[in-house]
Every structure is written in C-alpha cells, then in structure tokens.
C-alpha cells in the first residue's frame, strides 16, 4: 500500500512521528507473521521543499503531487490548542492547498485518515459532511458548533465512515496508525502494539474532564459550578434551572447543543470524576464516597464507574 503522510507548516510533531513510527514498525515486524500483509510504502509529502513543524523542526517532503496515486492519505494534526486560533488556521489561506488536496483525493475515492486537530482540516474541506467522525474530546463543542453536518462522536478513540478514518486527542495518532495497520492485519496490529507497549483505548470517555468542556458556554459553565456544589444531593433539573435563571427546557437544549448529552448524564460525569478522585486520594469506603456524590447505594456508583471508566473500583484505587 502506498501511503502519503501530508506535512505542512505547524504540523504537530508527535502526530507526524507517531504515524511514521507505527507504520515503520509494522513493516519491520510483518515478516514475523506466517501470512504477512503487503508492506506499506510511506512517503512524506508537502507543498514546499521544506516544512517547519510546530516545534520548529525541519522536514524535507516529496512534492504533494506524489499523493496523486496514493492508496491512503494521512493528515497529522495542527499544533494549535487555542480554539479561535485553530479555526483561523484551518480556514485560512495558509492551509488552502491542504484543504484542496484532501477534498480532491476524497473525490477520487482515496481513503483519508487524520487525528486530533487534523480532523478540523478534514471537516473544513467538506469531506466529513454526513459522516461519523471523532476529534479531540476537549475541542468537541467547538467542532460541533462549526461543523453541524458532521455526526460527531467525541467519546470514540477511532472511527471509520465511508473511507474516512478519524481519531481522538493528540496521541490518538498512535491509535489511528494502529487502526490503519489493523485494517490490513489484526494480528500484525496486535504484535506492533505489544512491542510498542500500547494499550487498546476504544474510548476517550475515561480521559474527559467535564469542567474543560463546560467552559465553552457561559450557561454550561454556571450549571457545572452549581452541580459541583450539589453533588451529594439527588438530581433536580428544576432547582438547577431556577438557580441559573433559565427554564428547564433552555438548560436541556443548551446542554444538548453544546455537549451533545443530557443534564443528567453531564452531572453523572461530574460524580464519576469526583468519585474517582476520592478513590485514588483517600481511604474512604465506597459507601461513604457514594453518599458524597449523591448515591444512596454503593452498588449504583460501582456500576456507573465501571460503565464510564471501564475499570473496577479496586482498579481505580490502585492507579
């Protein structure tokens, strides 16, 4: 398979190296399988003879025209954390050639793959419209607001929809590259993951920080502050709405629009976060912790923790 990895000024160094390193490892290890998949012929391409990464390193790519016959185009992330600056960059003239190449390659049926902020470039080029995709969890509200035509699932680590594969935050590039290897050979992907000591991470949910998501909207931020002060009390949407000076319907609709969830589920996320913190930092019993986060019975909290984090309470205590 011919793979073109696209580089451009400001590309995220770790995202670029993760894609290259994982595919290189897959090539090196494929001979260990009794029925190895074909090798990956990886070429780094760009629109200038020299590209400066986000960390200031220089890359000398092949011309972008080399991607014309590629079997797969990989677009690493942009090294930009600030939402406003990110949107300006992905929509600006500096990256117009990147967007045009992505759109042109997809129009010709070439599979496309990206992770983290690189998914904003894909969305800006229009190739994610009508498709299911993921992105870095803490930029999900920004992404959803700008690209409503995309079916965003920020809880997933990797998604594939109609020839476009996307992955989550920053080091989700490793998960992305392993997913690409897995498409050719699940056995080889498992082998590479073991050599690189990479655990399978099917979801970003365990890494999500609710307070970070809440800051994307003033009402959500106020709701989060109110909820944290009332974690030990039963859910009461009416009390929360009254305290915030809005109707229940407005609160529900805003939470759904910004976070793509319900107020009850968002409060559950806060309770999971606080319970996990108490399990890791105190010797309190699970029963005591359950009461502190609003649950009468420890079994309810235990089930919720297992559902949201994929770990047992004992496992969370020992981390």
């Amino acid at each position: 398979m011919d793979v073109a990895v696209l580089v451009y000024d400001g590309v995220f160094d770790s995202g670029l190296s993760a894609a290259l390193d994982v595919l290189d490892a897959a090539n090196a290890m494929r001979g260990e399988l009794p029925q190895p998949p074909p090798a990956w012929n990886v070429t780094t391409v760009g629109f200038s003879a020299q590209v400066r990464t986000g960390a200031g390193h220089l890359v000398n790519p092949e011309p972008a025209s080399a991607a014309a016959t590629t079997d797969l185009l990989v677009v690493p992330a942009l090294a930009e954390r600030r939402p406003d600056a990110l949107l300006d960059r992905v929509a600006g003239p500096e990256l117009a050639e990147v967007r045009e190449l992505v759109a042109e390659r997809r129009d010709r049926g070439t599979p496309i793959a990206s992770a983290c902020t690189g998914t904003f470039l894909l969305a800006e080029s229009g190739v994610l419209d009508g498709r299911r995709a993921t992105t870095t969890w803490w930029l999900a509200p920004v992404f959803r607001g700008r690209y409503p035509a995309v079916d965003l699932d920020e809880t997933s680590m990797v998604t594939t929809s109609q020839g476009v594969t996307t992955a989550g935050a920053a080091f989700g590039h490793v998960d992305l590259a392993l997913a690409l290897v897995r498409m050719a050979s699940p056995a080889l992907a498992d082998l590479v993951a073991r050599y690189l000591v990479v655990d399978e991470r099917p979801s970003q949910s365990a890494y999500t920080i609710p307070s970070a998501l809440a800051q994307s909207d003033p009402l959500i931020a106020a709701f989060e502050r109110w909820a944290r002060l009332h974690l030990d009390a039963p859910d009461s949407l009416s009390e929360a709405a009254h305290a915030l000076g809005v109707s229940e319907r407005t609160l529900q609709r805003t939470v759904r629009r910004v976070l793509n969830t319900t107020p009850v589920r968002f409060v559950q996320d806060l309770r999971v976060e606080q319970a996990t913190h108490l399990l890791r930092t105190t010797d309190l019993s699970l029963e005591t912790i359950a009461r502190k986060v609003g649950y009468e019975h420890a079994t309810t909290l235990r089930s919720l923790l297992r559902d949201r984090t994929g770990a047992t309470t004992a496992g969370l205590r020992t981390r």
Side-chain angles (χ1 to χ4, degrees):
M1 175 181 287
D2 290 327
V3 180
V5 179
L6 182 63
V7 294
Y8 51 91
D9 286 337
V11 71
F12 180 49
D13 294 65
S14 294
L16 171 61
S17 61
L20 296 176
D21 287 344
V22 170
L23 292 175
D24 181 67
N27 276 335
M29 297 175 193
R30 51 188 286 277
E32 298 184 28
L33 300 180
Q35 294 181 319
W40 287 267
N41 178 31
V42 182
T43 304
T44 304
V45 303
F47 290 99
S48 58
Q50 191 171 76
V51 168
R52 187 175 295 275
T53 69
H57 297 106
L58 299 178
V59 179
N60 300 309
E62 297 295 319
S65 57
T69 58
T70 192
D71 299 310
L72 171 67
L73 178 64
V74 178
V75 185
L78 173 66
E80 179 55 73
R81 294 175 52 87
R82 299 165 298 170
D84 289 344
L86 172 63
L87 294 180
D88 287 344
R89 285 291 308 279
V90 299
E94 294 179 7
L95 296 176
E97 291 177 311
V98 173
R99 298 192 302 270
E100 291 167 5
L101 177 64
V102 168
E104 186 269 336
R105 283 290 89 208
R106 190 60 210 137
D107 284 345
R108 293 181 178 273
T110 302
I112 310 286
S114 188
C116 193
T117 55
T119 59
F120 281 73
L121 275 168
L122 269 57
E124 196 70 33
S125 72
V127 304
L128 293 182
D129 288 356
R131 290 181 168 87
R132 181 169 173 263
T134 191
T135 191
T136 179
W137 62 264
W138 58 273
L139 288 172
V142 179
F143 188 103
R144 187 175 291 109
R146 183 161 181 102
Y147 309 113
V150 182
D151 180 13
L152 183 66
D153 177 12
E154 69 272 23
T155 64
S156 295
M157 187 62 75
V158 180
T159 69
T160 297
S161 178
Q162 303 175 53
V164 182
T165 301
T166 53
F171 292 100
H173 286 85
V174 174
D175 303 84
L176 176 70
L178 283 173
L180 299 177
V181 175
R182 185 169 285 109
M183 291 176 186
S185 172
L188 181 56
D190 291 341
L191 182 64
V192 171
R194 293 183 68 177
Y195 269 98
L196 298 183
V197 195
V198 179
D199 293 329
E200 183 178 7
R201 301 178 295 180
S203 174
Q204 296 187 85
S205 297
Y207 304 91
T208 301
I209 303 172
S211 57
L213 294 175
Q215 300 313 306
S216 58
D217 183 272
L219 178 58
I220 304 300
F223 177 49
E224 185 233 353
R225 291 192 295 271
W226 183 92
R228 286 191 184 278
L229 292 174
H230 299 82
L231 279 185
D232 59 347
D235 291 329
S236 178
L237 185 62
S238 60
E239 288 184 19
H242 178 74
L244 299 175
V246 298
S247 68
E248 290 184 45
R249 180 175 175 80
T250 295
L251 182 56
Q252 288 176 324
R253 291 179 65 177
T254 304
V255 172
R256 173 63 68 182
R257 173 178 56 80
V258 176
L259 303 179
N260 196 36
T261 189
T262 64
V264 170
R265 188 172 178 87
F266 179 66
V267 173
Q268 287 178 339
D269 290 340
L270 296 177
R271 287 175 167 149
V272 166
E273 180 186 65
Q274 179 64 7
T276 300
H277 172 72
L278 292 174
L279 282 168
R280 292 175 175 173
T281 60
T282 75
D283 294 325
L284 295 174
S285 68
L286 185 62
E287 289 74 15
T288 300
I289 293 174
R291 289 193 293 273
K292 284 182 174 292
V293 297
Y295 296 111
E296 183 178 354
H297 303 292
T299 52
T300 304
L301 177 59
R302 182 180 287 109
S303 297
L304 182 63
L305 288 169
R306 186 181 299 112
D307 177 63
R308 297 298 174 82
T309 69
T312 64
T313 53
L316 291 171
R317 274 210 191 273
T318 57
R319 284 185 182 177

